[in-house]
Amino acid sequence: MILPIVAYGDAVLRKKGKEITKDYPNLEALIENMYETMYEALGVGLAAPQIGLPIRLFIVDTAPFSEDEALDTEEQEFLKDFRQTFINPKIIKEEGDDWAFCEGCLSIPEIREDVFRQPKIKIEFFDESFKKHTKEYHGLAARVIQHEYDHIEGVLFTDKISSLKKRLIKGKLSNISKGKIEVDYKMRFPDIKKKR
Ligand SMILES: [Zn+2]
C-alpha cells in the first residue's frame, strides 16, 4: 500500500522518534508499505516520520545511485545491492573530513542543496527480524543513512545549510507546506486549508 509522504512543515517531522519493540502493531506490513512508498516516489531512503509515525525506523535502498559514473566501480557495486531496514539505530561513530553532497528529500520536493557530512560511520541497529547488527558504511551509503537518521531525530537537511541559503528557500518551503507544488507521488500537506 502506498502511503502519503508528509510534507515540510508538519510537526511530526520535528519529533524525536521513539524506540519500538518487535510487538509494534503490524510492523511487517508497515515496513513493506514503506518500501512500496519509497520506490513509487523514486527515493533512496524513507524514515517513519515521513509517513507520519514518530518512531525510530527507516529504510534505505541505494540502487538508483549505482549508475553514478562519478563513483568507482567498487562503490557502484555496493550501492547496487544495498537495501537495509534500520530499527532503533544508533550512530556510534562518525569519522573523516566533511564532504559536500547535493541532497534532496521526499518531504521537501524540488529543493536540493549541498550538505556537509562526515564520510564514515559506524552504526548499531536491528533489522526487520530484530536481529542486532553493528556495521560500518562510507561514502553515499553513509550519506543516505545519516540523512535518514536525522529524520528520526527530528532534523531536516535544510537545517544544515547556510543561513543565506535558508533565507533564499524560505518562500519555497512555505509553498511546500501549503501544497503549492507539483509532485508525482502522494503527499500530505500540513497547511492546506480544510474545505468546508
Ligand atoms: Zn529526507
Side-chain angles (χ1 to χ4, degrees), residues 50 104-107 147-148 151 156-157:
Q50 293 182 277
C105 180
L106 294 177
S107 293
H147 176 113
E148 300 310 324
H151 273 300
L156 301 171
F157 83 89

